[in-house]
Amino acid sequence: MQTPSPGRARRREAVTFYLLISPWLVGLLTFTLLPIAVSLGISFTRWDMLSPPELVGLRNYARLLDDRLFWQSLSVTARYTLMYVPTELVGGLLLALLMNQVDARGIRLLRTLYYMPSVLSGVAFVVVWMWLFHPEAGLINAGLALVGVQGPRWLVDPHTALTALWMMSLWGLGRTAVIYLAGLRGIPRELYEAAAMDGAGAWRSFVGLTLPLLTPTIFFNLVLSIIATFQTFTSAFVATNGGPLDATLFLVLYLYRKAFQEFQMGYASALAWVLFALVLAFTLLVVRSGRWWVYYEGESP
Amino acid sequence: MRSSARLRRWLLLALLWGVALLFLIPLLWMLSSSLKPTWQIFETPPRWLPDPPRWENYREALTTLPFGLYLRNTTVITLLTIVGHLLSCTLVAYAFARLRAPGRDTLFVVMLATLMLPYPVTMTPLYVIFHRLGWINTFLPLTVPAFLGSPFYIFLLRQFFLTIPRDFEDAARIDGANIVQILAWVIVPMVAPALATVTLFTFQASWNDFLAPLIYLQRPDLYTVTLGLQFFRSTYTTNWAYLMAASLTTMLPVIAVFFAAQRYFLAGISLAGIKG
């Protein structure tokens, strides 16, 4: 018997590779690329899924520009992103820095307690918070009453509803903190000892050492939380259904209404494309900016 | 000097445990409310210990709607999704980590790019496609895609594959094992912890999923627990004791699994986070 030539072995390896990834390739084509193409096509039509689609050119996109609710949903999503992303990044880091000061046994217990709420997303999570935010009998306003403050009406007041949803999201802060903690504990102790020998104080070694070495983790959390805010749906759908007075009408909620309650598939597809373009633009912006501020050890392609 | 260091330490611990308490209060309050008789629910100032605890709330809340059926539906969907992810993601991740082929690196970048694609972008056209296939009001739109891999878990498993040595695979190959045998007998046992992470993340995401079931399951006998709870909420808006009992019940499996297998959740986070 002859041993196969290196060329043949390489060809066989390539065939095996494509065989093994074929499930994902099929999924990529049918459940990712095909839908993106289909929705571009649908976005140029008017279609209720009952009668045949009618070609309307760019009219759906033109309508978007005049649609007050579209601009409202953009503004809600943008304001929420501006509230959520910084608190998530800074709050999570602060929590992780504090946790990192405690001995190993304490860290383990605290990590469990902080992390646990973040696995409880979904409707039940939102229902619990609706009860906490109840204007008369909710625990939050009861707590405020203890210190003599008359609490707002939270989810039923257009001025506070978005803030309430943001406070709700803070319950998941532990997840970010745990990601940071993993990053912090990956920094070798010797580096701190060396910095201390050079006379660096706590602040100098934080700014000069911890922060730069943590930039990959910060970057990762930044990308994750931007993507998360663009997808906010369940909390707004269950707790406020976009209200009061459209104060919590997130982009995805508006998209859901247009597609699955009003069956304006063409218009909804145009909305989805705008969402797609926005996410793409933001991700590219963040990834590009990462070249300037993210520090990778042993930088090499 | 020493006493001020000790004071700082006490302050730190007080702060950390205070925050931990803040994180726990919603859960304790949910438990407390779920056991209250109606007249104690709206008491001010709120009472923490229901007197007497009303356990019937659970029975009554969970039997006004067929929650047993919802639990069964959710379990079927979750199990199928887990099996699908384990099978497909292991194969794809192994290929990306170990095999050389033209176009591999480009495809890997494409996969990372789809990781950034939010689900809502494709949900409208996906509905149209599944409608064409006649899959609306079946579990198929929620389970079949799982058998075609998920970029996040493929990425996670690939990172894990890269950390284990090739020696065992090479030895098995010299012994004449084919790729299926290598995967089943050599690779899977070695990456068992990473597979556990994929299982748990999938369980959590699938159990809590709301948007996809909301779109595809419109018949009440197909509802998952999240849909059932939402329906229950819109019907019994004011009965907070029932709502808390039902919410706690749907959260309980996730809480139990979290405490039983915490380290696999944490392993997933450090795998994705540090090398990302």
Short mmCIF file of all heavy atoms in Angstrom, two decimals, chain A residues 63-104:
data_model
loop_
_atom_site.label_atom_id
_atom_site.label_comp_id
_atom_site.label_asym_id
_atom_site.label_seq_id
_atom_site.Cartn_x
_atom_site.Cartn_y
_atom_site.Cartn_z
N ARG A 63 -41.25 56.96 3.46
CA ARG A 63 -42.25 57.07 4.53
C ARG A 63 -41.59 57.11 5.90
O ARG A 63 -42.06 57.80 6.81
CB ARG A 63 -43.19 55.86 4.45
CG ARG A 63 -44.66 56.23 4.29
CD ARG A 63 -45.47 54.95 4.20
NE ARG A 63 -45.86 54.47 5.52
CZ ARG A 63 -46.29 53.22 5.73
NH1 ARG A 63 -46.36 52.35 4.75
NH2 ARG A 63 -46.64 52.85 6.95
N LEU A 64 -40.52 56.33 6.06
CA LEU A 64 -39.80 56.29 7.34
C LEU A 64 -39.41 57.70 7.79
O LEU A 64 -39.55 58.05 8.96
CB LEU A 64 -38.52 55.47 7.20
CG LEU A 64 -38.59 53.97 7.47
CD1 LEU A 64 -37.22 53.35 7.25
CD2 LEU A 64 -39.04 53.74 8.90
N LEU A 65 -38.93 58.49 6.81
CA LEU A 65 -38.43 59.82 7.16
C LEU A 65 -39.54 60.71 7.73
O LEU A 65 -39.28 61.60 8.53
CB LEU A 65 -37.82 60.49 5.94
CG LEU A 65 -36.60 59.77 5.35
CD1 LEU A 65 -36.12 60.46 4.09
CD2 LEU A 65 -35.47 59.69 6.38
N ASP A 66 -40.78 60.45 7.31
CA ASP A 66 -41.90 61.28 7.78
C ASP A 66 -42.63 60.66 8.96
O ASP A 66 -43.64 61.20 9.41
CB ASP A 66 -42.92 61.48 6.65
CG ASP A 66 -42.36 62.41 5.59
OD1 ASP A 66 -41.59 63.31 5.97
OD2 ASP A 66 -42.69 62.22 4.41
N ASP A 67 -42.15 59.50 9.42
CA ASP A 67 -42.89 58.75 10.44
C ASP A 67 -42.44 59.20 11.83
O ASP A 67 -41.33 58.89 12.26
CB ASP A 67 -42.63 57.26 10.23
CG ASP A 67 -43.43 56.41 11.19
OD1 ASP A 67 -44.02 56.97 12.13
OD2 ASP A 67 -43.45 55.19 11.00
N ARG A 68 -43.34 59.90 12.52
CA ARG A 68 -42.99 60.41 13.84
C ARG A 68 -42.61 59.29 14.80
O ARG A 68 -41.67 59.39 15.58
CB ARG A 68 -44.19 61.18 14.41
CG ARG A 68 -43.91 61.92 15.70
CD ARG A 68 -45.19 62.49 16.29
NE ARG A 68 -46.14 61.45 16.69
CZ ARG A 68 -46.07 60.78 17.85
NH1 ARG A 68 -45.11 61.05 18.70
NH2 ARG A 68 -46.95 59.86 18.15
N LEU A 69 -43.35 58.16 14.72
CA LEU A 69 -43.08 57.06 15.64
C LEU A 69 -41.74 56.40 15.37
O LEU A 69 -41.09 55.91 16.28
CB LEU A 69 -44.21 56.01 15.56
CG LEU A 69 -45.51 56.45 16.21
CD1 LEU A 69 -46.56 55.36 16.07
CD2 LEU A 69 -45.29 56.79 17.68
N PHE A 70 -41.31 56.40 14.10
CA PHE A 70 -39.99 55.87 13.79
C PHE A 70 -38.91 56.71 14.48
O PHE A 70 -38.01 56.18 15.13
CB PHE A 70 -39.77 55.85 12.28
CG PHE A 70 -38.32 55.68 11.89
CD1 PHE A 70 -37.65 54.50 12.17
CD2 PHE A 70 -37.62 56.71 11.27
CE1 PHE A 70 -36.32 54.34 11.83
CE2 PHE A 70 -36.29 56.56 10.92
CZ PHE A 70 -35.63 55.38 11.21
N TRP A 71 -39.02 58.04 14.36
CA TRP A 71 -38.04 58.92 15.00
C TRP A 71 -38.10 58.80 16.51
O TRP A 71 -37.08 58.82 17.20
CB TRP A 71 -38.23 60.38 14.57
CG TRP A 71 -37.88 60.57 13.13
CD1 TRP A 71 -38.74 60.81 12.11
CD2 TRP A 71 -36.57 60.50 12.55
NE1 TRP A 71 -38.05 60.89 10.91
CE2 TRP A 71 -36.72 60.71 11.16
CE3 TRP A 71 -35.29 60.27 13.06
CZ2 TRP A 71 -35.65 60.70 10.28
CZ3 TRP A 71 -34.22 60.26 12.19
CH2 TRP A 71 -34.39 60.47 10.82
N GLN A 72 -39.34 58.64 17.04
CA GLN A 72 -39.48 58.43 18.47
C GLN A 72 -38.77 57.15 18.91
O GLN A 72 -38.04 57.15 19.90
CB GLN A 72 -40.98 58.38 18.84
CG GLN A 72 -41.29 57.94 20.26
CD GLN A 72 -40.87 58.97 21.31
OE1 GLN A 72 -40.43 60.07 20.97
NE2 GLN A 72 -40.98 58.61 22.57
N SER A 73 -38.95 56.08 18.13
CA SER A 73 -38.33 54.81 18.52
C SER A 73 -36.80 54.91 18.43
O SER A 73 -36.09 54.33 19.24
CB SER A 73 -38.86 53.66 17.67
OG SER A 73 -38.38 53.76 16.35
N LEU A 74 -36.32 55.65 17.43
CA LEU A 74 -34.87 55.87 17.34
C LEU A 74 -34.36 56.63 18.56
O LEU A 74 -33.34 56.29 19.15
CB LEU A 74 -34.54 56.68 16.09
CG LEU A 74 -34.05 55.97 14.85
CD1 LEU A 74 -33.59 57.00 13.84
CD2 LEU A 74 -32.91 55.03 15.18
N SER A 75 -35.11 57.66 18.93
CA SER A 75 -34.69 58.49 20.05
C SER A 75 -34.73 57.70 21.36
O SER A 75 -33.81 57.82 22.19
CB SER A 75 -35.58 59.75 20.10
OG SER A 75 -35.83 60.13 21.42
N VAL A 76 -35.78 56.89 21.55
CA VAL A 76 -35.86 56.07 22.76
C VAL A 76 -34.67 55.12 22.82
O VAL A 76 -33.99 55.01 23.85
CB VAL A 76 -37.19 55.27 22.80
CG1 VAL A 76 -37.15 54.19 23.86
CG2 VAL A 76 -38.36 56.19 23.03
N THR A 77 -34.40 54.45 21.70
CA THR A 77 -33.30 53.48 21.68
C THR A 77 -31.96 54.18 21.94
O THR A 77 -31.13 53.68 22.70
CB THR A 77 -33.27 52.75 20.32
OG1 THR A 77 -34.57 52.26 20.04
CG2 THR A 77 -32.29 51.59 20.34
N ALA A 78 -31.78 55.35 21.33
CA ALA A 78 -30.52 56.08 21.51
C ALA A 78 -30.35 56.55 22.95
O ALA A 78 -29.29 56.39 23.55
CB ALA A 78 -30.46 57.27 20.56
N ARG A 79 -31.44 57.11 23.53
CA ARG A 79 -31.33 57.60 24.91
C ARG A 79 -31.06 56.45 25.87
O ARG A 79 -30.26 56.56 26.80
CB ARG A 79 -32.62 58.34 25.31
CG ARG A 79 -32.58 59.83 24.99
CD ARG A 79 -33.85 60.52 25.44
NE ARG A 79 -34.95 60.11 24.56
CZ ARG A 79 -36.21 59.98 24.97
NH1 ARG A 79 -36.54 60.23 26.22
NH2 ARG A 79 -37.15 59.62 24.12
N TYR A 80 -31.73 55.32 25.62
CA TYR A 80 -31.52 54.16 26.49
C TYR A 80 -30.08 53.66 26.37
O TYR A 80 -29.44 53.34 27.38
CB TYR A 80 -32.50 53.05 26.09
CG TYR A 80 -32.43 51.83 26.98
CD1 TYR A 80 -32.97 51.86 28.26
CD2 TYR A 80 -31.82 50.66 26.55
CE1 TYR A 80 -32.92 50.76 29.07
CE2 TYR A 80 -31.76 49.54 27.36
CZ TYR A 80 -32.32 49.60 28.62
OH TYR A 80 -32.26 48.50 29.44
N THR A 81 -29.55 53.66 25.14
CA THR A 81 -28.16 53.24 24.95
C THR A 81 -27.21 54.15 25.72
O THR A 81 -26.28 53.68 26.37
CB THR A 81 -27.80 53.27 23.45
OG1 THR A 81 -28.74 52.47 22.75
CG2 THR A 81 -26.40 52.72 23.20
N LEU A 82 -27.50 55.46 25.67
CA LEU A 82 -26.63 56.42 26.37
C LEU A 82 -26.69 56.26 27.88
O LEU A 82 -25.75 56.59 28.60
CB LEU A 82 -27.02 57.85 25.99
CG LEU A 82 -26.57 58.28 24.59
CD1 LEU A 82 -27.03 59.69 24.29
CD2 LEU A 82 -25.05 58.17 24.47
N MET A 83 -27.84 55.76 28.39
CA MET A 83 -27.95 55.53 29.83
C MET A 83 -27.31 54.19 30.21
O MET A 83 -26.62 54.06 31.22
CB MET A 83 -29.43 55.48 30.26
CG MET A 83 -30.11 56.84 30.34
SD MET A 83 -31.88 56.69 30.02
CE MET A 83 -32.48 56.21 31.59
N TYR A 84 -27.59 53.19 29.39
CA TYR A 84 -27.25 51.82 29.75
C TYR A 84 -25.76 51.52 29.58
O TYR A 84 -25.13 50.96 30.48
CB TYR A 84 -28.10 50.89 28.88
CG TYR A 84 -27.82 49.41 29.01
CD1 TYR A 84 -28.53 48.64 29.93
CD2 TYR A 84 -26.89 48.78 28.20
CE1 TYR A 84 -28.29 47.28 30.03
CE2 TYR A 84 -26.65 47.42 28.30
CZ TYR A 84 -27.36 46.68 29.20
OH TYR A 84 -27.13 45.33 29.31
N VAL A 85 -25.20 51.89 28.43
CA VAL A 85 -23.82 51.47 28.14
C VAL A 85 -22.81 52.03 29.16
O VAL A 85 -22.02 51.26 29.70
CB VAL A 85 -23.44 51.81 26.68
CG1 VAL A 85 -21.97 51.54 26.42
CG2 VAL A 85 -24.30 51.02 25.72
N PRO A 86 -22.84 53.34 29.46
CA PRO A 86 -21.84 53.84 30.45
C PRO A 86 -22.02 53.22 31.84
O PRO A 86 -21.02 52.84 32.47
CB PRO A 86 -22.12 55.35 30.51
CG PRO A 86 -22.85 55.66 29.26
CD PRO A 86 -23.62 54.44 28.91
N THR A 87 -23.26 53.08 32.31
CA THR A 87 -23.42 52.49 33.65
C THR A 87 -22.96 51.05 33.66
O THR A 87 -22.36 50.59 34.63
CB THR A 87 -24.89 52.52 34.13
OG1 THR A 87 -25.73 52.29 33.04
CG2 THR A 87 -25.22 53.81 34.81
N GLU A 88 -23.26 50.35 32.59
CA GLU A 88 -22.84 48.96 32.49
C GLU A 88 -21.31 48.88 32.53
O GLU A 88 -20.74 48.08 33.26
CB GLU A 88 -23.38 48.40 31.18
CG GLU A 88 -22.85 47.05 30.83
CD GLU A 88 -23.90 45.97 30.94
OE1 GLU A 88 -24.94 46.23 31.57
OE2 GLU A 88 -23.66 44.89 30.40
N LEU A 89 -20.64 49.73 31.74
CA LEU A 89 -19.18 49.66 31.66
C LEU A 89 -18.52 50.12 32.95
O LEU A 89 -17.66 49.43 33.50
CB LEU A 89 -18.68 50.51 30.49
CG LEU A 89 -18.94 49.95 29.10
CD1 LEU A 89 -18.35 50.86 28.05
CD2 LEU A 89 -18.38 48.55 28.95
N VAL A 90 -18.94 51.29 33.45
CA VAL A 90 -18.29 51.85 34.64
C VAL A 90 -18.74 51.13 35.90
O VAL A 90 -17.92 50.75 36.74
CB VAL A 90 -18.57 53.37 34.73
CG1 VAL A 90 -17.93 53.94 35.98
CG2 VAL A 90 -18.05 54.07 33.49
N GLY A 91 -20.05 50.91 36.04
CA GLY A 91 -20.58 50.24 37.22
C GLY A 91 -20.03 48.84 37.36
O GLY A 91 -19.63 48.42 38.45
N GLY A 92 -20.01 48.10 36.25
CA GLY A 92 -19.49 46.74 36.28
C GLY A 92 -18.03 46.72 36.69
O GLY A 92 -17.60 45.90 37.49
N LEU A 93 -17.26 47.69 36.15
CA LEU A 93 -15.83 47.75 36.48
C LEU A 93 -15.62 48.08 37.96
O LEU A 93 -14.80 47.46 38.63
CB LEU A 93 -15.13 48.79 35.59
CG LEU A 93 -13.63 48.95 35.83
CD1 LEU A 93 -12.91 47.63 35.63
CD2 LEU A 93 -13.04 50.00 34.90
N LEU A 94 -16.39 49.06 38.46
CA LEU A 94 -16.27 49.43 39.88
C LEU A 94 -16.54 48.23 40.78
O LEU A 94 -15.79 47.94 41.71
CB LEU A 94 -17.25 50.55 40.22
CG LEU A 94 -16.79 51.96 39.88
CD1 LEU A 94 -17.87 52.96 40.22
CD2 LEU A 94 -15.50 52.27 40.63
N LEU A 95 -17.63 47.52 40.46
CA LEU A 95 -18.02 46.36 41.25
C LEU A 95 -16.91 45.31 41.23
O LEU A 95 -16.55 44.73 42.26
CB LEU A 95 -19.31 45.79 40.67
CG LEU A 95 -20.36 45.28 41.63
CD1 LEU A 95 -20.69 46.32 42.68
CD2 LEU A 95 -21.63 44.91 40.85
N ALA A 96 -16.34 45.10 40.03
CA ALA A 96 -15.29 44.09 39.90
C ALA A 96 -14.04 44.51 40.68
O ALA A 96 -13.40 43.69 41.35
CB ALA A 96 -14.95 43.88 38.43
N LEU A 97 -13.69 45.81 40.62
CA LEU A 97 -12.52 46.30 41.34
C LEU A 97 -12.69 46.10 42.83
O LEU A 97 -11.77 45.68 43.54
CB LEU A 97 -12.28 47.78 41.04
CG LEU A 97 -11.69 48.10 39.66
CD1 LEU A 97 -11.72 49.60 39.42
CD2 LEU A 97 -10.27 47.57 39.55
N LEU A 98 -13.89 46.39 43.33
CA LEU A 98 -14.17 46.21 44.75
C LEU A 98 -14.08 44.74 45.13
O LEU A 98 -13.45 44.38 46.13
CB LEU A 98 -15.56 46.75 45.10
CG LEU A 98 -15.71 48.28 45.10
CD1 LEU A 98 -17.16 48.66 45.31
CD2 LEU A 98 -14.83 48.90 46.16
N MET A 99 -14.71 43.89 44.31
CA MET A 99 -14.70 42.46 44.61
C MET A 99 -13.29 41.91 44.64
O MET A 99 -12.96 41.03 45.42
CB MET A 99 -15.50 41.71 43.54
CG MET A 99 -16.91 41.41 43.92
SD MET A 99 -17.56 40.10 42.84
CE MET A 99 -18.08 41.06 41.45
N ASN A 100 -12.44 42.45 43.75
CA ASN A 100 -11.08 41.95 43.63
C ASN A 100 -10.23 42.23 44.87
O ASN A 100 -9.15 41.69 45.03
CB ASN A 100 -10.43 42.56 42.39
CG ASN A 100 -9.30 41.71 41.87
OD1 ASN A 100 -9.32 40.49 42.02
ND2 ASN A 100 -8.29 42.35 41.29
N GLN A 101 -10.74 43.10 45.78
CA GLN A 101 -9.99 43.43 47.00
C GLN A 101 -10.22 42.39 48.09
O GLN A 101 -9.53 42.40 49.10
CB GLN A 101 -10.46 44.78 47.57
CG GLN A 101 -10.49 45.90 46.57
CD GLN A 101 -9.14 46.50 46.37
OE1 GLN A 101 -8.43 46.77 47.32
NE2 GLN A 101 -8.75 46.67 45.12
N VAL A 102 -11.23 41.54 47.90
CA VAL A 102 -11.62 40.62 48.96
C VAL A 102 -10.87 39.30 48.76
O VAL A 102 -10.42 38.99 47.66
CB VAL A 102 -13.15 40.40 48.90
CG1 VAL A 102 -13.63 39.55 50.05
CG2 VAL A 102 -13.85 41.73 48.89
N ASP A 103 -10.74 38.52 49.85
CA ASP A 103 -10.05 37.24 49.74
C ASP A 103 -10.87 36.25 48.91
O ASP A 103 -12.05 36.45 48.66
CB ASP A 103 -9.79 36.66 51.14
CG ASP A 103 -11.08 36.50 51.90
OD1 ASP A 103 -11.63 37.53 52.35
OD2 ASP A 103 -11.57 35.37 52.02
N ALA A 104 -10.21 35.15 48.50
CA ALA A 104 -10.78 34.24 47.51
C ALA A 104 -12.14 33.68 47.91
O ALA A 104 -13.04 33.57 47.09
CB ALA A 104 -9.81 33.10 47.24
#
